[in-house]
Amino acid sequence: MTSADDKSNAEQRMLGAVPGQPALGRGPVPGGDHSRHDYHHPAAGWGAARSVAQVLERAGEPVEGFRALFVMNQQDGGFDCPGCAWPDDPDGLRLDLCENGVKHTTWEMSPAKANRTFFAGHTVSELAGWSDYDLEAVGRLAEPMSYNPASDKYEPISWEGAFSLVGDALRSLDSPHQAAFYTSGRLSNEATWLYQLWVREFGTNNLPDCSNMCHEASGRAMTAAIGSGKGTVDLHDWENADAIWVMGDNAATNAPRMLTWLAEAERRGAALVHVNPLIEAASRRTIVPHEFVDMATFHSTKVGTMNVQVRIGGDMALLRGVAKAVFEAAEKDPTVLDHDFIERHTHGFDEYRSLVASTQWSELVEQSGIAEPDIRRLADSYIASSRVIIAWCLGLTQHEHGVDTVREIVNVLLLRGNIGREGAGPAPVRGHSNVQGNRTCGIDHRPSKDFLDRLGAVYGFEPPREHGMGTVDTIQAMQRGDVKVFVALGGNFALATPDLAYTFEALRNCELTVQVSTKLNRSHIVHGTRALILPCLGRTEKDRQASGEQGVTVEDAMAMVHISRGMKEPVSPLLRSECSILAGLAQATLRDSKTRWEECVADYDRIRDGMERVLDGFEDFNRRARHPHGFRIRQLARERVFQTPSERAEFSAAALPDDVDPGDGRLLLATIRSHDQFNTTIYSNNDRYRGLKGLRTVIFMNEDDMRERGLEQFDLIDVTSFSKDGTQRCIYGYRAVTYEIPPGCAAGYMPELNVLCGIADVSTQSEQPVTKHLVVEVTPSQPAAAGDIR
């Protein structure tokens, strides 16, 4: 048996928390070869095509991987890409896929080698020293496993034994609130429904989810502003917009299929504005791989007409500057403002106008990092465009003031009536494939009274009314010992969360942790006293139940719901579907439930029958889900029906934050993804679009900031973060890399740098970790003195 100290020491080296030793990071253990060059090629194109070919060549089943390309995101019998939530082509005419979707799909299709033989040969303490790349590279999970502390190994357990273990543990708790149930964005709508139903019948709203760490700010902001937590646009609007702004998002990596729509917008003369601290490949040119003539002739298309390199945290000041310029232009030409829309459909306009007028240009320039003439140029482009879409991602939300920033987007749109008409509106760019559907279908630790009333009436029980805990509150409760059982449906909770050392300790403080997963990851290695791994089917695999093969639905980022069906045999006969696993857990937990769990699993139509009785917009669910294009959930705000207390769209008059300059020679650091990465899954140590090869443990810095600190390219550095609660966190042995980023700003990869985000570094507006707004100090690495543990 290996000691817990051995696990901790191995993890500390992976986290980069060992003084005087280069950090290993989460990808393949790096060798000595690394380099960086300026990347000037178009996004996607032949670079993406070569990458896809390499992925298929390395795949365990290359023939199946190639076949998957032609059924992914297709309406006629295809499966929905398990990657991002970008909508499918509504006309169904394209080979509608991207490099990252192919990577994610082939990663899921790997053979099931994480079986009893594998686990018999490795202790958990040994696996703790493996990189996250090596853990996932083992292959798919093959059968249910239970942790044995005596041997420090996972051992086989029957499905019935696993269900009984969970049911007994939950029923033995003093209160249902001593358990928490996490959801990642990959869970289907049907599984989501059964999950929240089980949890609420059990008696708690402790349903933290990945939205608590990514777009919670967007939902709260838009609910307050327009009465809906979702964007109002669809792809037809993208086809008709005169201008599209993309803020805080690197589309080529985070939503590559967006490039197709940006390229088409450029061809018809739309203005394409990218607002981001980093100049990214997605803001310049692209070659869309399924446009074969362009591929053959190397013809690229612009996907950006203006780059606005705002400083980290300066987006709200930039937007307010645009509003100020719009108001000033309206003094000369009143038609600049949509007075009819403002009068009939908005509330709070006069207060907002007064606030903007009182804000000085000097403050807006200082906070945004953008010169006044450039802000005015952006405003001129906005005024010249009749129909404007503003899209955004985590670069805006993972800040203390994320809610206020998203509300400022809505403010700017309201000034010219750019909500509720064709070609215009707000468009949050969601990450995981069904993260929006999870929230629609009940994964919400703060559910509405109306939802709970309907749920209880349909299923014959009294739902809990007390709000539950979000992600950060759940971690803190586990740390205190208030949460004793933790269940996670998908994802890699141990790595996706802030303050990794704190989170690891919190998970190990649980009496039982349960992970429903497809592949081995860090969350199976960082576990409670007892632990279960329950392997589930992937999105690409056939789901056979008593009534035959089943399909599941997902909701994309633009509220389109459609059905997805697997196309290959499961990699192991011992896998179960998420719905089957959840029904088994519910039956083992709830002795007096009126829900017919077995019937729900036998035919998923029965699950959808229940959903349509509770959820607005899901009427005639089974029929509409089978339509080749699915259906769009009705968006009342799109119809200019605003479900706010005033029954109008609300202007926000929030004060500008004053946190863009940390002072004392410190920097603001934002965590980002590499191109060869999907959330916490890392495919290699390369980042093609940023020209980086062979290394992930880097901090991208402004050249002047590096010079001031006496740093050259790839010099070893130590990084210290300063948390809201006065604590500090250090990483050692990273490397400084020059990049086109504003002075005073820096960036580096998640999940590695999540270690720098303290558990107290959470937005008071959204409860999100502020991983795009970390105050850090960067210094040259110092050799560790004997006995120096820093």
Side-chain angles (χ1 to χ4, degrees), residues 671-715:
T671 62
I672 56 178
R673 275 169 44 177
S674 79
H675 186 63
D676 222 11
Q677 172 182 354
F678 179 80
N679 293 342
T680 59
T681 295
I682 298 160
Y683 303 115
S684 80
N685 285 325
N686 302 328
D687 190 352
R688 185 172 78 248
Y689 290 148
R690 297 190 181 101
L692 187 65
K693 183 178 181 180
L695 198 61
R696 285 184 56 84
T697 52
V698 300
I699 302 294
F700 294 109
M701 298 176 64
N702 177 274
E703 188 174 7
D704 290 339
D705 289 334
M706 286 180 58
R707 188 179 301 111
E708 289 174 6
R709 290 158 179 78
L711 298 172
E712 302 287 343
Q713 187 82 317
F714 290 118
D715 275 0

Side-chain angles (χ1 to χ4, degrees), residues 342-353:
I342 291 169
E343 177 66 26
R344 294 175 58 189
H345 296 293
T346 73
H347 176 259
F349 172 74
D350 291 337
E351 183 182 0
Y352 179 66
R353 180 170 54 186

Side-chain angles (χ1 to χ4, degrees), residues 318-328 352 356 379 408 412 415:
L318 173 71
L319 289 160
R320 188 152 295 174
V322 169
K324 188 174 182 69
V326 169
F327 279 122
E328 292 176 357
Y352 179 66
V356 173
E408 198 70 20
V412 170
L415 291 177

Side-chain angles (χ1 to χ4, degrees), residues 42 115 142 151 175 204 316 399 490 492 622 641 649 695 731 769 784:
N115 53 25
S151 63
S175 165
T204 186
M316 185 177 175
H399 298 263
N492 190 352
N622 274 303
V641 176
L695 198 61
I731 54 173

Side-chain angles (χ1 to χ4, degrees), residues 74-78 628:
Q74 298 300 310
Q75 285 91 4
D76 187 14

